[in-house]
């Protein structure tokens, strides 16, 4: 039986992105839908429908799900999802019952990190840290070629390291978290403030969308790319904070590479160059140690579903018995009142 195709599903608060992925990380079929609701049963229904749709055209051997939230170390239960009403949700078993397929669940950043290691920017690098810069900051670790999830499955929540004691309040309940200084929400906050204050850049962005609350950080990136010096300065400041945080992570983890993904990374060199400079000047022991490379992710927004599919395929392959007929004989022998017969 071929085990080359698996389904990867990336579940967000507003959309579900899914694809059929081959063993080389190529997406051979894709679909995107609005997340029907924040409630688990409706999302599980959508996953089952997407899976059935793909199975009409492809032989599927496993389903991998990347979820934005805390996933336990057994890769089965979503402990907490900030954008969905999921608390201790047994997602793996629920989807497996509906689909009849092997299912694997992991944090979406872990799935993205695995994809970049297997097929993207970090191929050939044994130890890497992925940083995803979106509205907040997500993260993932691959150590010695293996994803690292921690004792309880929650490693990689780098965005909630406190970098400014008593700093800006964060949605997590603490103050001064890294993502309050180095993420898309920083650009959104500054852009909306500029629109309210009536600066030239603020007025230009407000004219484009018509409402202050509709201004997002992506507008800042576009204006910076078009040569606006103020927008470029805002992105450079985010890059500076990014480099400071990476230096802190290097002190703890000493990876060979940092891979920067997420929507804010679309700013390219406007973000990465200041991050590299801040990293070099902040790194402990600078001048006496090798520096990790800081590179932009290669796989874009589809990294999560690619990684989830690949993880699911590999997990299903490891769990498959080497000799299925031997398993059948062993089960028959284990039935009450039966004993294995030796062939003469």
């Amino acid at each position: 039986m071929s085990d080359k195709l698996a389904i990867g599903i990336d579940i967000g608060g507003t959309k579900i992105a899914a694809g059929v992925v081959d063993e080389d990380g190529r997406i051979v079929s894709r679909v995107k839908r609005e997340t029907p609701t924040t409630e688990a049963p409706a999302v599980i229904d959508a996953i089952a429908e997407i899976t059935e749709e793909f199975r009409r055209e492809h032989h599927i051997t496993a389903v991998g799900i990347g979820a934005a939230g805390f996933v336990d170390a057994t890769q089965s239960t979503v402990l907490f999802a900030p954008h969905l009403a999921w608390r201790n949700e047994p997602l793996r078993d629920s989807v497996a019952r509906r689909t009849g397929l092997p299912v694997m669940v992991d944090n979406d950043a872990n799935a993205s990190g695995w994809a970049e290691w297997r097929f993207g920017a970090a191929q050939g690098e044994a130890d890497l840290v992925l940083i995803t810069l979106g509205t907040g900051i997500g993260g993932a670790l691959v150590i010695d070629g293996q994803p690292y999830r921690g004792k309880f499955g929650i490693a990689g929540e780098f965005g909630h390291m406190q970098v400014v004691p008593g700093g800006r309040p964060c949605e997590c309940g603490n103050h001064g978290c890294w993502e309050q200084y180095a993420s898309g929400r920083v650009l959104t906050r500054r852009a909306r403030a500029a629109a309210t204050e009536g600066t030239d850049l603020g007025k230009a962005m407000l004219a484009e969308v018509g409402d202050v609350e509709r201004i997002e950080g992506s507008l800042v990136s576009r204006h910076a790319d078009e040569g606006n010096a103020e927008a470029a300065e805002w992105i450079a400041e985010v890059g500076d904070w990014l480099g400071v945080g990476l230096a802190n992570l290097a002190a703890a983890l000493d990876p060979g590479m940092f891979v920067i993904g997420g929507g804010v990374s679309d700013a390219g060199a406007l973000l990465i160059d200041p991050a590299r400079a801040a990293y070099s000047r902040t790194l402990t022991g600078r001048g006496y140690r090798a520096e990790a490379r800081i590179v932009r992710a290669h796989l874009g927004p589809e990294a999560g579903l690619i990684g989830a599919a690949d993880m699911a395929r590999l997990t299903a392959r490891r769990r498959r018995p080497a000799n299925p007929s031997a398993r059948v004989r062993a089960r028959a022998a284990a039935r009450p009142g039966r004993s294995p017969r030796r062939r003469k």
Side-chain angles (χ1 to χ4, degrees), residues 144-296:
D144 197 22
Q146 296 294 322
Y148 179 78
R149 300 180 180 87
K151 173 70 174 180
F152 305 108
I154 307 174
E157 292 294 328
F158 304 130
H160 297 290
M161 300 186 303
Q162 289 180 286
V163 296
V164 180
R168 289 186 175 276
C170 182
E171 286 79 359
C172 75
N174 289 325
H175 289 74
C177 292
W178 189 27
E179 68 177 41
Q180 294 299 324
Y181 302 89
S183 69
R185 63 166 30 93
V186 178
L187 299 177
T188 298
R189 185 170 62 230
R190 294 200 67 167
R192 291 178 180 179
T196 301
E197 294 164 6
T199 70
D200 289 342
L201 177 57
K203 288 188 291 186
M205 290 187 290
L206 182 58
E208 291 182 54
V209 298
D211 186 341
V212 170
E213 295 303 313
R214 295 180 62 189
I215 295 175
E216 301 293 340
S218 57
L219 270 179
V220 178
S221 296
R222 184 168 63 75
H223 279 272
D225 191 55
E226 292 172 354
N228 185 282
E230 186 177 9
E233 181 181 345
W234 294 353
I235 291 173
E237 289 180 13
V238 169
D240 192 75
W241 276 108
L242 173 61
V244 170
L246 296 182
N248 289 341
L249 290 173
L253 302 170
D254 192 30
M257 179 184 290
F258 290 101
V259 179
I260 311 301
V264 181
S265 70
D266 290 344
L270 293 172
L271 174 82
I272 300 298
D273 287 350
R276 288 172 177 153
Y279 175 79
S280 292
R281 71 172 180 265
T282 310
L283 184 66
T284 183
R286 52 195 174 275
Y288 298 95
R289 60 180 290 178
E291 293 189 11
R293 288 183 292 156
I294 301 173
V295 302
R296 189 177 169 191

Side-chain angles (χ1 to χ4, degrees), residues 1-337:
M1 181 182 293
S2 171
D3 61 357
K4 293 185 177 180
L5 297 181
I7 295 172
I9 300 177
D10 189 356
I11 302 174
T14 60
K15 72 178 188 311
I16 298 174
V20 177
V21 183
D22 70 14
E23 62 182 350
D24 295 316
R26 292 186 293 258
I27 301 175
V28 300
S29 183
R30 41 169 69 78
V31 67
K32 186 177 292 186
R33 295 184 181 174
E34 297 297 315
T35 303
T37 174
T38 62
E39 299 296 329
V43 177
I44 292 168
D45 287 343
I47 293 170
E49 291 167 6
I50 290 169
T51 301
E52 183 58 31
E53 180 180 328
F54 283 142
R55 293 176 84 177
R56 295 191 192 108
E57 302 291 333
H58 306 281
H59 174 70
I60 304 298
T61 58
V63 178
I65 301 172
F70 294 171
V71 178
D72 74 341
T74 67
Q75 296 173 275
S76 63
T77 301
V78 180
L79 303 174
F80 169 76
H83 304 298
L84 298 166
W86 294 5
R87 304 294 184 268
N88 295 307
E89 178 62 37
L91 185 60
R92 183 189 67 188
D93 294 345
S94 297
V95 175
R97 282 194 297 270
R98 291 290 302 275
T99 64
L101 289 169
V103 178
M104 185 245 27
V105 180
D106 209 332
N107 172 268
D108 57 349
N110 287 345
S112 295
W114 181 254
E116 291 291 345
W117 181 77
R118 285 271 284 157
F119 310 112
Q123 293 179 73
E125 176 57 61
D127 300 290
L128 72 100
V129 174
L130 171 78
I131 301 295
T132 58
L133 299 179
T135 302
I137 295 179
L141 291 157
V142 175
I143 298 175
D144 197 22
Q146 296 294 322
Y148 179 78
R149 300 180 180 87
K151 173 70 174 180
F152 305 108
I154 307 174
E157 292 294 328
F158 304 130
H160 297 290
M161 300 186 303
Q162 289 180 286
V163 296
V164 180
R168 289 186 175 276
C170 182
E171 286 79 359
C172 75
N174 289 325
H175 289 74
C177 292
W178 189 27
E179 68 177 41
Q180 294 299 324
Y181 302 89
S183 69
R185 63 166 30 93
V186 178
L187 299 177
T188 298
R189 185 170 62 230
R190 294 200 67 167
R192 291 178 180 179
T196 301
E197 294 164 6
T199 70
D200 289 342
L201 177 57
K203 288 188 291 186
M205 290 187 290
L206 182 58
E208 291 182 54
V209 298
D211 186 341
V212 170
E213 295 303 313
R214 295 180 62 189
I215 295 175
E216 301 293 340
S218 57
L219 270 179
V220 178
S221 296
R222 184 168 63 75
H223 279 272
D225 191 55
E226 292 172 354
N228 185 282
E230 186 177 9
E233 181 181 345
W234 294 353
I235 291 173
E237 289 180 13
V238 169
D240 192 75
W241 276 108
L242 173 61
V244 170
L246 296 182
N248 289 341
L249 290 173
L253 302 170
D254 192 30
M257 179 184 290
F258 290 101
V259 179
I260 311 301
V264 181
S265 70
D266 290 344
L270 293 172
L271 174 82
I272 300 298
D273 287 350
R276 288 172 177 153
Y279 175 79
S280 292
R281 71 172 180 265
T282 310
L283 184 66
T284 183
R286 52 195 174 275
Y288 298 95
R289 60 180 290 178
E291 293 189 11
R293 288 183 292 156
I294 301 173
V295 302
R296 189 177 169 191
H298 286 179
L299 299 178
E302 294 179 322
L305 72 86
I306 292 171
D310 193 61
M311 285 176 163
R313 178 192 301 106
L314 295 175
T315 300
R317 186 179 296 170
R318 286 193 297 268
R319 290 176 179 171
R320 184 178 303 151
N323 186 344
S325 62
R327 181 178 67 175
V328 172
R329 291 196 298 271
R331 283 182 174 175
R335 291 173 188 160

